[in-house]
Structures are given as C-alpha cells and as structure tokens.
Amino acid sequence: MERWYKIDNTGKIFHAVTNASNSSVYRVSMIMKESVNAELLQDALDKVIKRFPMLAVKVRKGLFWDFMEENDEKLHIQEETTYPCYIINPRENHGYLMRVLYFQRRVSVEIFHSLTDGSGAVEFLKSLIFQYLLFQEKDVTTDGEVLFPDDVPSKYETEDSFEKYFHPSGQSQQREKESPAFQIKGSPFDPPGVNVIHGVIQASEVNKFAKKMGASVTEFITAVLIHSIYAETMKYGLYQESIMIALPANLRRQFPSVTLRNFFSVSNVGVPVTDETTLEDIMKTVSEQLSSKMKKETLQAGINHHVQLQKKLSARIVPVFVKYRAMRYGFYHFGEMSKTMTLSNLGNIKIPDSMKPYIERMELVLYPTKNSPINCGIASLNDRMTITFARSIVETEIIKSFFSQLTHLTGLDIEVYSNNWGEQT
Amino acid sequence: MNQCKNCGVWVEGLTCPLCHRGIADPTTTTEVQWYPDYQEVSHDQRSVFAFKLTIFIAVSIVSGCLLINLLTMPHKLWSLYVATVVVYLLITCNHTILSKSHLGGKILVQLISLSGLLSLTDALMGFQRWSVNYIVPFLVVAATFLVTVIILKKRMRWRAYVGFVVTMIVLGFLPIVLYVAGVATAIWPSAVTALYALLTLFGMLLFSDKTFKTDLVRRFHL
C-alpha cells in the first residue's frame, strides 16, 4: 500500500490557484563546470528520488482535501526545450509534480510549489548533484552539508512543521487588511511564456557593500528594486499605492525543523516612494519593517492564524472544490493585490568543499503571475550571486534600471544573460 | 565578454538583453548558449480549435432554430428541445469524446448530462415524471454497474475509480430523495436504485482488500 501525505498548510493554496498564467512552478538550477552527462544524471535521479519520498508523489482527489500519494513510476530526466517554470501537467509526467531538466552545463529541478519550498528543492538538487558526481567517480563527500542518498529518510523530513509549531491557545495574527499595492502593468508575451534575465555578481562584494550601507543583502537589493520600480513606472504618474515587495522567509531559521516540505511565510515590505525619497530612506524603512515582521512572535502568530483557519470545522467539512474557489478568490483579490513583486533570496547555499570545483553557481527562477508579472529570485554559491528576473511581459525597464543602479552603486561587474523568450524574430 | 555602454553590464553576445541595443566595439564575438532555441510551445491548439468549432456550430444551430421557431410558430417553442439536445451533444463531444479526462469522470458526466437532458425534455413536455420516476434511477444503476465492471476488469488500476464508485453510490440515493421530496412518484425504481447502491458499497467493503477502506479514509480525510 502506497504511503500518503496530507498536503501541508501552505501547499494547499497552490492547488487552488494554479492556471495557465500562474504555473506555481519554480526552478532551482546548478551550473556545472562541464557539460551534463544525461545518462549519469538519470542514474543519479533514479537513486536520489527514493531518498525524497515527499517529492516522489502524485496528487489524488479527496472530498474535503486532496492528498499526495507515493508514486513508484520512473521519473525521466528531460532535455530543456521549453521556457523555465512551464506548467507541469502530471498526466504527461507519470503523475509527478516535478521535473528534472538538463541543458549544456545546467541541471534544473522544477517543482510545483505544493510539494516543497526553496529549501527543500535545494536539498534535493544538492543530493542529486552529489550522486551525479559520485557516478562520475569524483572524490566528493557530504561533510554534513548534503543529504546522503543512501540514508533512510527521517520522519522529521516528512513532517508538517506548521502543525508542529501551531499553538492552539497561542496568539493568532489576524491578517491585517492590507491596502492594494502598486501593480506592474505591461504587454504580455504573445505567445505567452517566461523570459528570464540573469545577472551574475560577486556575492562577497555585494555583502560587503550592503553591510557598509547598514543593511543585509536582501534589504539592500529590495531597496534598489523599489527604487527602480519607482523610477521606471511611477515617477511621472499619480499613484497613491505603495510599492510592496513580498519576501518569503524560511521559517526553519526561527523554528528548528528539518522538514523537506513547505515551511515558509511571506512578509510584505513596502514604502510609499516620492521624488524626495532616497535609496537610504527606502533601505531604512525596509530594514525596520523586516526586523519587525521577522520577529519570532510575529511569525508564530502567523503560523497560528493559518493553521487555525485550516482547522476550523466549518472550513474542514466544506467540499474541496468549494474551498478552492474561496482560496482562489482570496488569493487573487487580496494576496496578489497586496504586492508589487516577489523577491526570494535563497541566501548562500552551503555545499561541501569537495563539490565546489565541479559547480560554478546556482540560479533560482520564480514563476511570474498575472498580477505580479515580474518576480526576482536570488541564489549564491561559490561566491557567485545570481539575480534572476522572470517576467511574462515585454517591458524590461525595471530590470534594466535595477542592474544599472546596482552597477553604478557598487561599482561591481555584472554579467547578464537571458533566455530571450519573446525576443526572437 | 563585452560591456554594454548603455546599461553598464557585461554580456557574452552582441546584443544587450536589457536594452536590446547592439554592443559597440565588441571585443569577443563568441556566444555561450545558455538556453535552447525554443520551438513554438504547443498549447494543444488543435483541441482548442475543436472546442471553439463545436461551440460555434452549437450556437449557430440553436440561434438558427430559435429564429425559425419565432418566425414560423412563436406560440410553441420547439427550439428549446433542440437547444437541450445540442447542449448534451456539446458536452458529449467536448468531454466524452475530445477530452483526456478519466473514464470514470466521463461516465459521471454522461450520467449527469443525460439525466439533465431527459429531465428537461420531460419538463418541456408537461412533466409527466417519466424522467425522474424511471430514467434517472435507471441511468444511476447503469452507471454504477459500468464503473463496477471496469473496477473488476482493471484490477491493477481499480483505485483510480474508487472516487467515482463512491460518487455513484451517493447518487444512488438521489432518486429516493426525489421521491421523498415529491418530485418523483414511483417508489420501486427509487428503492431498487438505493438498494443497488447499498449492495455495491457492501460488496466493495466485503470483497476488496484493506486498500478500499484505506482509500476511503484518505479521500474523506478532514
């Protein structure tokens, strides 16, 4: 009998809101130093997938909630042919809600967000590459930084940490009625698709520069982004809305957990920008808001609120298709309207020293949505920070302004490349 | 690497991905291919076209019949009969024939749409209740029987049909509800359908292994 898993607290929303313009599929990639050997990658995947049972699943329909069930079909690697974050059709993928892709030197894992968050995806990718290097007979060791593919999965890796840290009697944070944020408008690509622009910069120097400015890397980049959005889209208009950046936070940092399922929350930070607002002002406000929203008590209240919502009997006994409709309404009318853009920073990814010579760097691609047509993902590895903008619209002004400002401010070299979607004649 | 003088960033090609301007005085002309050359992504355009075509044909038939109906005999709206049949055929064509839906889902949709078609026809003819008295119960029994046969045939993949057979069992009590509500007037077909549903449930619980019960727990978890 196959094992099964309830979909975790955050994961449920992705089943409700996924459609053609919102794939809920994100990508983490590692750029290797050499071209990928497809045969060895498939062998590595065959082995590693067993180590991550909560990813090797298919979704099944239930009356009150859908659920995940063990999938023992083979997951085939695929050569990359479509744009990043292309919607996953389980029927064409042996029921899997993830895919493993390769192209030249890049190995990518694309995952439907309901399965796991960025941390879970990175752990999977690290193990996959570790096993791949082992099959290449490279002398690599885990050094406690990679989940060893031969180990038996721990029960703590499959736990729903939202349930674990939920305090029924604890303070619950009622979602404040957030006012609508400024929304980026543009002309959607025809045919629809996702264009990605990557900028590669020296991570340690960015970190040093941010510290000099009295901010963390995420705060610094958020501030530059807000400044760019204002300069390119709001400066000459009459807008009342603030620019709000949604920043996913890894809850494992505050609430000890080794779960490989979703365990994150999203904090919206925003600034009402005017012509007089300087980058330093924006950075100060962002830092203040972030430190307040990342307090353990605030995050705990958020966990309590979300789990309580799900546990309400009135919500539980409603058929899932009705719940999905309600979730979709909330997502599109409140969640999506309260942010201008999402910026996710995976931080500095730790890998064993023995693996470093074979890997150049990492990329994170965050799927754009209809109301958030440009999103930004950051990942650092081997002192190389890759800032990736994924967009579903033609306009590039914000991205251009962001990289120009970053170059101008830090004086660092930024290497830029793109998949050119929507730009080929 | 070449520097874009406009944006200040370094690029490998001869065009800047940010401003789309050509690089002035490039020092290198070789370009690393980071992504594949995309072929046109198929969005299953043939089935989208077929869907639109069937909708267009359906609207044309219904509106044409309605116009003829109103011009020739406005006192008797016979075009409504045509409309119900066209809607049924539209569902049959787009869901039962063209879609890649699960076979169990197709049977369920056929049960609902055929019941709807015949109930509406009955209503348009003065509601003599032959649809709710006999047709709907018979269709529910037939659909339940069909799904049961499929489950017995597809022993390896029967679990995919559990949800559908459970839905059919629940629907098996619909005729009796209609009778109690006074919509249906003949008791025996409703009673037979309810009994058949109960026997199907009992049979599933008795003859299937633990898997059926476990699957029910999963599908009904709160």
Side-chain angles (χ1 to χ4, degrees):
Chain A
M1 186 78 192
E2 293 96 342
R3 292 172 70 179
W4 72 295
Y5 308 93
K6 292 180 184 180
I7 299 170
D8 60 63
N9 184 277
T10 313
K12 290 182 168 95
I13 187 79
F14 299 108
H15 287 272
V17 303
T18 299
N19 59 34
S21 62
N22 179 9
S23 69
S24 302
V25 174
Y26 64 92
R27 171 191 283 207
V28 285
S29 312
M30 278 192 187
I31 311 291
M32 309 299 290
K33 294 269 173 77
E34 290 172 8
S35 286
V36 176
N37 178 328
E39 217 169 286
L40 293 184
L41 184 65
Q42 180 67 61
D43 292 344
L45 176 62
D46 292 345
K47 185 160 189 181
V48 171
I49 194 74
K50 295 185 179 79
R51 174 68 184 77
F52 291 80
M54 71 301 303
L55 297 182
V57 290
K58 55 192 167 195
V59 68
R60 299 201 57 206
K61 297 273 174 208
L63 180 62
F64 304 108
W65 292 112
D66 291 342
F67 58 97
M68 304 289 195
E69 200 172 75
E70 189 183 333
N71 189 348
D72 48 19
E73 299 273 348
K74 188 177 173 86
L75 176 60
H76 292 279
I77 60 161
Q78 299 166 41
E79 186 166 10
E80 199 174 333
T81 53
T82 58
Y83 55 79
C85 307
Y86 187 66
I87 194 162
I88 293 177
N89 181 354
R91 278 193 205 134
E92 294 168 1
N93 201 30
H94 285 180
Y96 281 96
L97 298 169
M98 63 177 288
R99 54 168 90 95
V100 175
L101 302 160
Y102 68 95
F103 183 77
Q104 313 273 32
R105 292 192 285 132
R106 181 193 292 111
V107 176
S108 307
V109 177
E110 294 194 335
I111 297 190
F112 183 58
H113 214 325
S114 171
L115 296 189
T116 184
D117 54 18
S119 302
V122 168
E123 288 306 325
F124 176 77
L125 182 59
K126 278 160 64 173
S127 288
L128 179 67
I129 298 297
F130 174 81
Q131 188 60 54
Y132 171 75
L133 292 172
L134 274 186
F135 281 144
Q136 278 198 320
E137 296 178 352
K138 308 285 188 200
D139 186 19
V140 287
T141 48
T142 60
D143 296 347
E145 306 279 13
V146 178
L147 294 175
F148 192 58
D150 283 327
D151 283 349
V152 178
S154 130
K155 66 174 182 176
Y156 298 110
E157 291 171 7
T158 57
E159 74 176 14
D160 182 349
S161 293
F162 286 104
E163 294 270 358
K164 179 176 166 183
Y165 284 105
F166 166 61
H167 292 163
S169 54
Q171 188 201 347
S172 164
Q173 180 198 47
Q174 286 299 321
R175 200 178 174 86
E176 290 167 33
K177 179 132 174 66
E178 291 182 75
S179 45
F182 172 74
Q183 307 269 291
I184 297 167
K185 304 282 180 213
S187 319
F189 286 122
D190 184 22
V194 176
N195 178 295
V196 289
I197 295 180
H198 307 271
V200 186
I201 191 166
Q202 201 178 341
S204 55
E205 288 301 315
V206 178
N207 195 22
K208 215 182 282 176
F209 188 84
K211 287 272 176 301
K212 207 167 74 185
M213 302 276 286
S216 68
V217 171
T218 305
E219 289 162 359
F220 168 61
I221 288 179
T222 305
V224 177
L225 199 49
I226 290 174
H227 203 260
S228 306
I229 294 170
Y230 175 76
E232 295 302 323
T233 56
M234 294 180 82
K235 195 174 169 69
Y236 300 108
L238 293 168
Y239 297 101
Q240 304 298 316
E241 304 97 333
S242 294
I243 299 169
M244 302 293 290
I245 305 293
L247 296 164
N250 183 1
L251 292 171
R252 295 169 187 83
R253 288 186 190 144
Q254 301 265 28
F255 302 90
S257 167
V258 289
T259 186
L260 293 171
R261 300 171 73 183
N262 281 304
F263 194 42
F264 73 100
S265 72
V266 178
S267 302
N268 288 350
V269 295
V271 187
V273 190
T274 64
D275 275 348
E276 284 73 45
T277 318
T278 63
L279 185 66
E280 286 73 16
D281 295 335
I282 299 174
M283 217 174 307
K284 192 164 171 272
T285 315
V286 168
S287 296
E288 283 168 4
Q289 286 188 19
L290 258 186
S291 55
S292 145
K293 292 188 176 183
M294 293 295 166
K295 275 186 190 152
K296 193 169 180 181
E297 309 83 70
T298 316
L299 296 172
Q300 177 68 64
I303 292 173
N304 293 347
H305 174 64
H306 285 110
V307 180
Q308 247 165 24
L309 264 183
Q310 182 196 309
K311 281 185 176 290
K312 267 187 188 167
L313 187 65
S314 55
R316 283 158 69 182
I317 58 167
V318 171
V320 69
F321 62 91
V322 179
K323 280 192 269 229
Y324 280 175
R325 275 186 167 273
M327 284 180 182
R328 221 171 288 147
Y329 183 85
F331 179 79
Y332 285 111
H333 288 83
F334 303 105
E336 281 283 275
M337 300 309 281
S338 62
K339 65 164 176 131
T340 307
M341 188 187 283
T342 300
L343 186 157
S344 179
N345 184 2
L346 289 178
N348 190 23
I349 307 299
K350 287 181 184 154
I351 56 168
D353 287 339
S354 57
M355 284 175 73
K356 284 181 181 171
Y358 309 106
I359 304 166
E360 195 175 301
R361 56 191 168 77
M362 268 196 77
E363 295 168 346
L364 166 67
V365 185
L366 221 54
Y367 58 96
T369 62
K370 198 176 169 191
N371 291 323
S372 182
I374 306 177
N375 282 333
C376 179
I378 306 171
S380 304
L381 192 144
N382 276 348
D383 197 26
R384 307 274 280 162
M385 176 187 286
T386 309
I387 304 171
T388 303
F389 287 93
R391 67 190 157 103
S392 57
I393 55 171
V394 175
E395 291 76 7
T396 57
E397 288 82 2
I398 294 169
I399 304 168
K400 177 177 174 290
S401 169
F402 172 83
F403 282 123
S404 295
Q405 279 199 58
L406 200 57
T407 311
H408 183 73
L409 282 165
T410 60
L412 297 169
D413 287 343
I414 304 178
E415 298 162 29
V416 173
Y417 60 97
S418 163
N419 72 339
N420 297 321
W421 176 267
E423 286 157 13
Q424 288 158 330
T425 48
Chain B
M1 281 279 179
N2 304 309
Q3 190 171 29
C4 171
K5 301 282 184 249
N6 186 40
C7 306
V9 297
W10 292 84
V11 298
E12 271 170 342
L14 298 174
T15 310
C16 173
L18 298 175
C19 63
H20 303 116
R21 295 186 193 181
I23 301 294
D25 309 320
T27 50
T28 53
T29 51
T30 49
E31 195 168 344
V32 177
Q33 193 179 5
W34 288 105
Y35 282 94
D37 293 323
Y38 297 119
Q39 306 299 312
E40 195 171 327
V41 180
S42 161
H43 287 281
D44 213 357
Q45 284 176 343
R46 268 190 306 178
S47 62
V48 172
F49 176 74
F51 175 71
K52 287 180 179 172
L53 185 68
T54 52
I55 294 275
F56 182 75
I57 292 170
V59 171
S60 304
I61 293 172
V62 172
S63 56
C65 287
L66 184 66
L67 183 68
I68 295 167
N69 186 182
L70 292 174
L71 291 176
T72 54
M73 43 196 309
H75 52 282
K76 185 168 171 51
L77 285 175
W78 55 264
S79 56
L80 289 177
Y81 292 98
V82 179
T84 51
V85 173
V86 166
V87 170
Y88 170 71
L89 290 176
L90 192 66
I91 294 169
T92 301
C93 188
N94 283 319
H95 191 267
T96 312
I97 299 169
L98 290 177
S99 90
K100 292 175 184 165
S101 298
H102 194 276
L103 182 58
K106 290 185 177 187
I107 294 169
L108 185 63
V109 168
Q110 271 299 317
L111 166 66
I112 294 166
S113 53
L114 205 51
S115 301
L117 165 74
L118 295 169
S119 302
L120 271 171
T121 310
D122 188 7
L124 289 169
M125 290 170 71
F127 201 43
Q128 290 160 326
R129 298 175 199 270
W130 50 263
S131 60
V132 286
N133 278 344
Y134 305 104
I135 301 290
V136 173
F138 167 74
L139 286 175
V140 173
V141 170
T144 313
F145 178 72
L146 196 55
V147 174
T148 318
V149 169
I150 292 171
I151 286 178
L152 292 173
K153 284 232 165 209
K154 295 194 173 189
R155 283 172 181 272
M156 294 301 286
R157 295 186 166 269
W158 69 270
R159 293 187 57 234
Y161 290 85
V162 169
F164 297 110
V165 83
V166 169
T167 311
M168 300 296 182
I169 289 167
V170 173
L171 284 176
F173 295 93
L174 177 70
I176 211 95
V177 172
L178 291 177
Y179 179 79
V180 172
V183 180
T185 50
I187 177 80
W188 72 264
S190 308
V192 167
T193 311
L195 179 66
Y196 187 78
L198 277 175
L199 288 175
T200 306
L201 178 65
F202 182 60
M204 293 297 292
L205 290 171
L206 194 66
F207 293 112
S208 70
D209 52 12
K210 215 172 72 180
T211 327
F212 180 71
K213 283 154 245 174
T214 315
D215 209 77
L216 284 186
V217 171
R218 294 176 184 185
R219 287 179 181 275
F220 288 91
H221 83 271
L222 282 168

